[in-house]
């Protein structure tokens, strides 16, 4: 178990941050599916990255944002296709499931996964099997699934907008990414981390944050969470 890799990815020493790291450490080496929950900007993809980094899995971490890819293209992105499967498919293509073989497939915004693809994902989780579009060959794959959402999947299930059996398979080990307002004591560490990273990219000197600045930052509610803080730091450095 690489606890150091978790600390490198999840920045913070507050109670919520420590609890988050503990959950990641507990589940990392298991093949169990993980469902990362939390508000926008809380770093759900970082949680997935930390789980994968501490898992010891030899394959890659491959990400798919289910809300960012048009529904008609998403099946090909995830499962791949064969030559001639549809107009423009001029050669076979591996999907993200295959690219993540031996590793982890991170499905962000899982609540946006179209209903027709949900049973296919369920089959990957339960049987480790899938077919590319336009292919009759069933392929086996060893891949760990981590999904994330800021939606209430149980509510979507009750509205018949999300498969109940898929929800249960994804929700085996839920992890809540805490909101920044619930771990304000982590702000100095996050400021240091973001300042070093941003200044290194922009070749600028690191700023100094005086007591008034720190008080202002720790008294704000941060509706955009860690992502908002990072954007504020970058704007301040540029200005």
């Amino acid at each position: 178990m690489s606890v150091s890799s978790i600390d490198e990815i999840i920045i913070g020493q507050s109670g919520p941050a420590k609890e988050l790291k503990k959950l990641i450490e507990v589940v990392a080496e298991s093949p169990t599916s993980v469902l990362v929950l939390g508000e926008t900007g809380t770093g759900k993809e970082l949680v997935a990255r930390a789980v994968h980094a501490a898992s010891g899995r030899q394959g890659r971490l491959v990400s798919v944002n289910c809300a960012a890819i048009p529904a008609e293209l998403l099946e090909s992105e995830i499962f791949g296709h064969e030559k001639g499967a549809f107009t423009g498919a001029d050669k076979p293509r591996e999907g993200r499931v295959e690219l993540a073989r031996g590793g982890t497939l991170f499905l962000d915004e899982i609540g946006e996964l179209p209903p027709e693809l949900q049973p296919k994902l369920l089959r990957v989780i339960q049987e480790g099997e899938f077919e590319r579009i336009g292919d009759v060959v069933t392929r086996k794959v060893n891949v760990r699934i981590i999904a994330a959402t800021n939606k209430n999947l149980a509510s979507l299930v009750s509205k018949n907008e999300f498969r109940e059996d898929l929800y249960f398979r994804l929700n085996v080990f839920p992890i809540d990414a805490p909101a920044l307002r619930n771990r304000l004591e982590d702000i100095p560490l996050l400021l240091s981390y973001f300042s070093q990273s941003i200044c290194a990219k922009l070749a600028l000197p690191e700023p100094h944050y005086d007591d008034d600045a720190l008080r202002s930052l720790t008294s704000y509610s941060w509706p955009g969470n860690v992502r908002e803080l990072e954007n504020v730091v970058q704007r301040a450095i540029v200005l």
Side-chain angles (χ1 to χ4, degrees):
M1 175 70 64
S2 179
V3 177
S4 62
S5 61
I6 299 175
D7 286 328
E8 290 169 3
I9 297 170
I10 306 297
I11 307 300
Q13 291 298 323
S14 65
K18 288 179 179 178
E19 180 62 24
L20 175 61
K21 294 177 187 182
K22 180 179 177 181
L23 289 173
I24 292 171
E25 183 181 352
V26 166
V27 78
E29 292 183 348
S30 164
T32 301
S33 298
V34 174
L35 181 61
V36 187
L37 307 168
E39 300 173 9
T40 298
T42 50
K44 294 186 287 295
E45 186 166 1
L46 290 178
V47 174
R49 195 184 304 169
V51 171
H52 176 73
S55 70
R57 297 182 70 87
Q58 299 302 306
R60 299 158 53 187
L61 171 66
V62 178
S63 300
V64 182
N65 187 320
C66 298
I69 301 173
E72 63 272 17
L73 301 178
L74 192 55
E75 182 176 6
S76 175
E77 283 294 323
I78 295 176
F79 301 104
H81 62 255
E82 286 299 303
K83 180 178 179 180
F86 50 82
T87 302
D90 54 356
K91 60 183 178 180
R93 180 186 178 189
E94 289 186 334
R96 311 269 178 111
V97 167
E98 287 180 86
L99 293 174
R101 64 173 71 86
T104 303
L105 178 65
F106 174 58
L107 297 166
D108 199 5
E109 305 287 358
I110 190 66
E112 303 297 331
L113 188 69
E116 62 271 20
L117 299 189
Q118 293 176 20
K120 297 184 177 185
L121 177 60
L122 180 63
R123 187 179 173 205
V124 171
I125 297 172
Q126 292 187 158
E127 310 295 338
E129 296 179 350
F130 73 100
E131 287 95 28
R132 293 180 182 175
I133 300 175
D135 198 0
V136 295
V137 175
T138 297
R139 300 171 188 269
K140 299 287 290 186
V141 65
N142 173 13
V143 63
R144 200 253 191 91
I145 303 294
I146 300 178
T149 183
N150 58 9
K151 291 190 172 184
N152 187 329
L153 289 187
S155 176
L156 295 182
V157 169
S158 69
K159 298 174 185 176
N160 293 318
E161 295 176 5
F162 200 86
R163 286 182 67 109
E164 185 177 45
D165 48 3
L166 177 57
Y167 168 63
F168 287 140
R169 291 302 301 232
L170 292 172
N171 198 39
V172 172
F173 198 96
I175 295 179
D176 281 297
L180 182 56
R181 63 182 172 274
N182 295 328
R183 57 184 192 109
L184 293 174
E185 57 265 49
D186 288 331
I187 284 180
L189 285 173
L190 289 166
L191 282 176
S192 176
Y193 175 80
F194 289 141
S195 295
Q196 290 177 20
S197 175
I198 293 167
C199 289
K201 291 178 182 177
L202 300 179
L204 293 171
E206 289 184 37
H208 168 72
Y209 300 93
D210 61 24
D211 291 342
D212 287 340
L214 288 173
R215 275 193 293 270
S216 296
L217 291 169
T218 54
S219 63
Y220 180 57
S221 62
W222 297 106
N225 292 293
V226 177
R227 185 180 301 154
E228 183 183 6
L229 175 62
E230 181 179 13
N231 291 340
V232 166
V233 172
Q234 180 165 346
R235 184 165 61 249
I237 289 172
V238 171
L239 291 175

